[in-house]
Amino acid sequence: ISMCQEVFHFSVKKKEMKLEGNTLSENIIQLCLLHHIPKKLIQQRMHRAARSVEKHFMKIFPKHAEKFVLPGVKLLLTHLKKEQLALVTGNTQKIGNCILKNTHLERYFKVKIFSTVAKNRKQLIQEAIKKMKTHLKLSNRDIIVVGDSIHDVDAAKPWKSLAVATGHTTIKELKKHHPTIIVKNLKNYRSIISLLQCM
């Protein structure tokens, strides 16, 4: 919200911000086009807009942010530590690393892919898999994409996907995009592990 006012000089309402599953640049473009900002101007100010988002995020995100980790996530990651895990996020590297550090989750991921390496979610996931394949011999059967948005589910094809309704997207909406498996949350991490083993 602050970025829109600071860089493009328009106000945005929270109900306009349906941003889950997109990269930061996609979100900036989406909001600007909604407010009739010319595409050329958006591109000219994209770098400045991203830096503005980073600046405001660093001001508000707490140094001790464990409370933002959803129930079951840390236990699940701990029990999957023998697996090779990659993190894909639409955030910039600066924001992504800040979240990982302040939530103490960075140690769980062998590969971290941020929005700066690709234009959309599908390309981010492809880049993560490509990086993982430099370390491991992986077939499509070995790959499971976990996400909480329809963009994650769509981008996961042709691989397997576990959709989690912990974000703004409902189970009903996620089902329409045909994930391999769908769960309400990750609280029962043991059942999640069983599901992953059966996929």
Side-chain angles (χ1 to χ4, degrees), residues 30-68:
Q30 179 183 316
L31 285 171
C32 287
L33 291 178
L34 194 63
H35 287 266
H36 312 291
I37 304 298
K39 289 182 180 179
K40 188 175 180 180
L41 185 61
I42 299 170
Q43 292 304 322
Q44 286 173 349
R45 298 186 183 179
M46 181 60 73
H47 181 77
R48 182 180 158 198
R51 298 296 79 81
S52 174
V53 173
E54 288 178 339
K55 177 184 74 175
H56 291 291
F57 180 86
M58 296 301 171
K59 282 182 182 177
I60 64 171
F61 196 70
K63 287 185 178 179
H64 303 286
E66 296 93 339
K67 66 180 180 179
F68 293 106

Side-chain angles (χ1 to χ4, degrees), residues 2-3 8 31 40 48 54 89-90 102 125 144 180 187:
S2 299
M3 176 278 298
F8 295 102
L31 285 171
K40 188 175 180 180
R48 182 180 158 198
E54 288 178 339
T89 175
N102 294 8
I125 290 173
I144 302 171
T180 312
K187 288 180 182 178

Side-chain angles (χ1 to χ4, degrees), residues 13-174:
K13 298 175 183 176
K14 283 191 176 181
K15 65 180 181 180
E16 296 174 336
M17 300 177 68
K18 297 179 181 179
L19 311 177
E20 62 276 357
N22 295 325
T23 63
L24 177 62
S25 59
E26 285 179 311
N27 288 334
I28 292 169
I29 292 167
Q30 179 183 316
L31 285 171
C32 287
L33 291 178
L34 194 63
H35 287 266
H36 312 291
I37 304 298
K39 289 182 180 179
K40 188 175 180 180
L41 185 61
I42 299 170
Q43 292 304 322
Q44 286 173 349
R45 298 186 183 179
M46 181 60 73
H47 181 77
R48 182 180 158 198
R51 298 296 79 81
S52 174
V53 173
E54 288 178 339
K55 177 184 74 175
H56 291 291
F57 180 86
M58 296 301 171
K59 282 182 182 177
I60 64 171
F61 196 70
K63 287 185 178 179
H64 303 286
E66 296 93 339
K67 66 180 180 179
F68 293 106
V69 180
L70 295 174
V73 168
K74 212 157 196 176
L75 283 168
L76 178 61
L77 290 174
T78 300
H79 282 78
L80 291 174
K81 62 185 176 183
K82 291 181 182 178
E83 305 296 332
Q84 301 297 318
L85 303 179
L87 173 79
V88 173
T89 175
N91 288 311
T92 64
Q93 186 169 347
K94 189 172 184 178
I95 292 174
N97 280 331
C98 174
I99 294 171
L100 288 170
K101 182 182 177 183
N102 294 8
T103 55
H104 302 292
L105 295 179
E106 70 266 45
R107 63 193 175 97
Y108 294 106
F109 301 99
K110 185 176 184 69
V111 168
K112 303 175 189 78
I113 300 295
F114 304 100
S115 65
T116 43
V117 303
K119 293 181 179 179
N120 57 52
R121 178 67 60 172
K122 186 166 187 175
Q123 290 176 358
L124 290 174
I125 290 173
Q126 288 171 339
E127 186 62 29
I129 291 168
K130 182 181 174 183
K131 257 199 169 181
M132 292 296 279
K133 284 184 174 179
T134 63
H135 304 290
L136 303 162
K137 288 183 179 179
L138 292 175
S139 70
N140 282 353
R141 291 174 59 192
D142 300 318
I143 298 164
I144 302 171
V145 178
V146 181
D148 64 359
S149 78
I150 59 172
H151 301 288
D152 296 312
V153 176
D154 290 342
K157 295 161 186 171
W159 308 288
K160 291 174 280 190
S161 61
L162 172 64
V164 187
T166 49
H168 298 287
T169 311
T170 64
I171 285 181
K172 187 177 179 181
E173 290 172 312
L174 289 167

